Amino acid sequence: MEDIPDSLILHIFDYLDYKDVTSVSQTCRQLARVANDEILWRNLFHRHFVISPNKFIDPLCTPSWRTEFIRLIDEVPIIETEVVTKHTDQVLHVAFSHDGKRFATTAKDGYVYVWRSGYPVKLEYSQNMKTFSWKYTQFSQFNESDSLLLVSGVLFGLHSTSGEIAIFSLKDNFELQCRTMSKPYDIFGSWYSEMFFLSGNLHWLGQMVSKSVIWLNKASQEAESEHASVMNELYRFYNPKASSVRSLMVANCVEVENPSNGECSRAATNEEEKVDQAKSSQSLDIRDIRTGNPLSNLPLERELMEREPPASQRSLQGGFQSWKPFENVSDINYSDGYCSERSPGQSSRASLQSPSDLDSADNSTEETCGASSSQLSNELAGCVGGTPAKRPKSQKKHRDQRDISPSKCSSVEDESEDEFLDPRPKWLIFTCGSKTYTPHQLGFKKINPMSFNGKIDPGPTLKERIEEYKRRKQLERTGEQDASINWSDHARVAHRFDEVDKIIDLHGHVIGMALSPDHRYLYVNSRPWPEGYRISSELDPPPIAQEIDLHVIDLTTLTQVGMMRRAHRAYTPNDECFFIFLDASDLYIASGAEDKHGYIWDRHYGISLAKIPHKDVVNSVAFNPIEPEMLITVSDDMTIKVWRSRNLCRKLEINTEKLKFGTTLYSVPKGNA
């Protein structure tokens, strides 16, 4: 072997897969040294994970192709280590605390559970919200210090669109702090700062026209005086075409080096957006109708408007009639700007070894390379056990700070920074619509630092309030509009409302949103409308596809930088469509789906990594923010499943021989699962 040049051995290795390379590397030191070549592992990486040769290594990780190979094989959470069956109905949502020590689950049984996330997971707190006339719990979120938990739910009622938000203390034995109404229920609610959260309300102004009022609320609503305020009005948004503001979320504005627009991008016009955003093109025939998690409030809206759509529109035929199913293996296609920004500098690429470098390696290097290759072989090829090469956890200090903002609060232009509720500028993000009642657009409103107005404006007298209340109730009963104001003419009433800074139209039904841990990117699930769609009535939106598209929005420019078509599956029609929650860690993206699987993608390379099974719809997924090798999925099958990586299972000494594994997708031809 000593007479064979390393360059020839390297050429032979190019024809082998990674298991063969790691096995051969254990035979002698020379082969072990050659098997550690970076160019070899770059080629193996591109070939095994089926990615473009133009893709550079993830700059967030160690600049080694071999280490990256180990990460995608060994550190993706695809092993079903625990199945928890505490809930007695469909589990709708899961959320982790920022320190990764707890997670909360909500379900249609009306309970909210808080769990300790160690191994095994243990129940810490529980609360039956049906004692507060809740129909079920649907969403939860921890505040930044993990001392409070926000829980959102749906109130009892045949066609109820009203919800409520409750705040619980995690330091006082899960004691209830406050409850606040929220309408529609799928506005969910969100934290603005440590002690303030967001809620919303919907007010009908006329036929197909309403306003959404966003409120800033104190988490602890004990007041020393009846004149002390516990909530401030933030924004009033105008809703045309029977639409409404939903799915509130807050992101901290992120500053990047050499941003194209300085700070957080201000709004572009809706006309520009129509040019920038291409209409989603392909979808399917829709058959199944599932109950799933929170449905749209269309049934009640139809009753209020006393309208029924044409039968032809409700049959979900037409554009999707002749389409064939498309299996859900798809990668994320990023824009050139996104790829160039995340490409490493020349120093990273210069670290690749050439065959001549290998020939001149000394004996000490041989020993090191031999040990490394042996470790890789042990972990990837199923040889003798060992510990894989350690990779620094990327950006673990990022906190998923989902907060909120102002408008009718105190003006803060001349306030000192100490008086701000939060000194960081933020984006208020929500779903909305301008063509139909279904949420098909993303709205963005810049939130500057603000203070809270702690005094109540007495306003009209009690007699004046009662008279105005009776007048409005009479208008609602008769279905008449306020004669003094023509609410349908937006141009005439626009001054009464806050302007949205930016609208992005996704041309489909938005069913999920998630922020990256650093709040730089927004990931959105949507079910696209057919190409060339037409909307005949605001209550009859176009049919939606059975596939879910995943969009990537850069929040520094408010532009779409990536998209994955036909990423995963959903079946329900427009009036039964429900939220499919997704989540992002520093390295991975995961989402639920209606095809009884959760899906995992690599954020940087955009490749499909794995799908993990349930027995029914997967409603929500969540990565542990401190240990992203742990993933939790919840489903309509009433289970909570905890998934861990091979590496994490070894650390926790979990025997994986009899455990179930997810299905890897990177080697599956695109379009076949």
Side-chain angles (χ1 to χ4, degrees), residues 273-551:
E273 183 55 35
K274 291 178 181 178
V275 175
D276 294 338
Q277 297 293 328
K279 292 186 178 181
S280 301
S281 59
Q282 295 190 345
S283 314
L284 288 180
D285 173 27
I286 295 174
R287 297 179 292 275
D288 270 357
I289 296 180
R290 305 199 59 86
T291 52
N293 56 352
L295 309 179
S296 75
N297 57 2
L298 178 62
L300 182 58
E301 289 172 353
R302 289 191 191 276
E303 289 184 11
L304 293 173
M305 304 304 178
E306 296 182 351
R307 292 190 52 175
E308 280 295 326
S312 60
Q313 290 292 330
R314 298 187 69 188
S315 63
L316 299 177
Q317 301 295 314
F320 297 105
Q321 199 167 27
S322 61
W323 290 20
K324 297 180 179 180
F326 187 93
E327 295 298 341
N328 43 312
V329 177
S330 183
D331 294 344
I332 304 173
N333 297 315
Y334 287 115
S335 66
D336 293 339
Y338 176 93
C339 295
S340 62
E341 181 179 337
R342 291 178 63 86
S343 297
Q346 291 295 328
S347 59
S348 297
R349 280 172 265 175
S351 64
L352 298 178
Q353 292 180 316
S354 66
S356 59
D357 295 331
L358 293 172
D359 290 334
S360 60
D362 58 20
N363 291 335
S364 62
T365 305
E366 290 177 6
E367 293 178 2
T368 304
C369 294
S372 300
S373 296
S374 178
Q375 289 173 350
L376 177 65
S377 176
N378 292 340
E379 303 306 336
L380 302 188
C383 297
V384 181
T387 303
K390 292 185 178 180
R391 174 182 55 80
K393 299 295 181 183
S394 58
Q395 301 185 6
K396 279 189 175 181
K397 293 184 180 180
H398 286 317
R399 291 300 181 93
D400 187 7
Q401 303 145 345
R402 302 183 183 179
D403 314 319
I404 271 135
S405 87
S407 166
K408 307 303 180 295
C409 296
S410 301
S411 173
V412 295
E413 297 298 328
D414 55 355
E415 298 276 0
S416 67
E417 189 168 307
D418 292 339
E419 295 176 310
F420 293 158
L421 300 180
D422 193 319
R424 298 167 294 186
K426 301 173 185 290
W427 282 116
L428 172 61
I429 306 169
F430 50 87
T431 63
C432 54
S434 63
K435 304 171 185 176
T436 179
Y437 76 91
T438 58
H440 56 275
Q441 296 175 330
L442 301 177
F444 299 86
K445 181 69 176 176
K446 178 70 176 295
I447 303 169
N448 292 313
M450 62 172 178
S451 61
F452 185 80
N453 183 3
K455 296 182 179 180
I456 296 178
D457 181 2
T461 64
L462 178 59
K463 182 178 179 180
E464 292 171 337
R465 292 171 187 266
I466 293 174
E467 290 176 352
E468 177 65 15
Y469 176 79
K470 289 180 178 179
R471 187 181 71 86
R472 292 188 177 278
K473 280 297 181 182
Q474 179 63 26
L475 291 175
E476 289 181 9
R477 282 194 295 269
T478 60
E480 299 175 4
Q481 295 187 15
D482 191 335
S484 62
I485 303 173
N486 182 10
W487 295 107
S488 299
D489 189 346
H490 180 240
R492 290 182 178 273
V493 299
H495 65 282
R496 296 173 176 266
F497 301 94
D498 293 287
E499 182 180 356
V500 180
D501 291 338
K502 176 77 171 181
I503 293 288
I504 297 179
D505 199 327
L506 298 183
H507 305 285
H509 197 131
V510 179
I511 61 170
M513 298 192 298
L515 288 169
S516 62
D518 60 359
H519 289 207
R520 171 71 187 273
Y521 297 101
L522 176 69
Y523 296 88
V524 185
N525 276 338
S526 76
R527 294 176 61 183
W529 292 333
E531 186 176 6
Y533 65 86
R534 292 185 179 181
I535 299 176
S536 59
S537 168
E538 46 272 272
L539 293 182
D540 300 313
I544 50 179
Q546 282 190 342
E547 291 96 2
I548 301 173
D549 289 348
L550 197 156
H551 305 262

Side-chain angles (χ1 to χ4, degrees), residues 601-617:
W601 298 269
D602 183 270
R603 278 184 59 188
H604 175 69
Y605 304 108
I607 56 174
S608 305
L609 294 176
K611 63 178 183 179
I612 47 185
H614 273 267
K615 295 180 180 179
D616 210 329
V617 173

Side-chain angles (χ1 to χ4, degrees), residues 90-107:
Q90 299 167 350
V91 191
L92 304 182
H93 186 256
V94 57
F96 263 101
S97 60
H98 298 92
D99 61 11
K101 296 179 180 179
R102 294 184 175 104
F103 65 91
T105 56
T106 54

Side-chain angles (χ1 to χ4, degrees), residues 18 41 45 48-49 51 55-78 334 342 376 379-380 388-394 585-589 600-610 623 627-629 644-648 650 664 666:
Y18 76 95
W41 282 102
F45 188 93
H48 183 78
F49 296 107
I51 66 171
K55 280 279 189 181
F56 294 107
I57 201 166
D58 189 341
L60 297 180
C61 302
T62 303
S64 164
W65 286 106
R66 176 180 168 277
T67 305
E68 275 292 84
F69 200 111
I70 294 175
R71 176 176 70 84
L72 294 188
I73 293 290
D74 207 43
E75 300 181 12
V76 178
I78 61 171
Y334 287 115
R342 291 178 63 86
L376 177 65
E379 303 306 336
L380 302 188
K390 292 185 178 180
R391 174 182 55 80
K393 299 295 181 183
S394 58
S585 69
D586 288 322
L587 301 174
Y588 310 112
I589 308 167
I600 305 174
W601 298 269
D602 183 270
R603 278 184 59 188
H604 175 69
Y605 304 108
I607 56 174
S608 305
L609 294 176
F623 287 102
E627 183 49 83
E629 295 179 35
R644 293 180 172 91
S645 68
R646 293 179 175 89
N647 178 50
L648 187 56
R650 285 192 300 272
T664 56
Y666 39 77

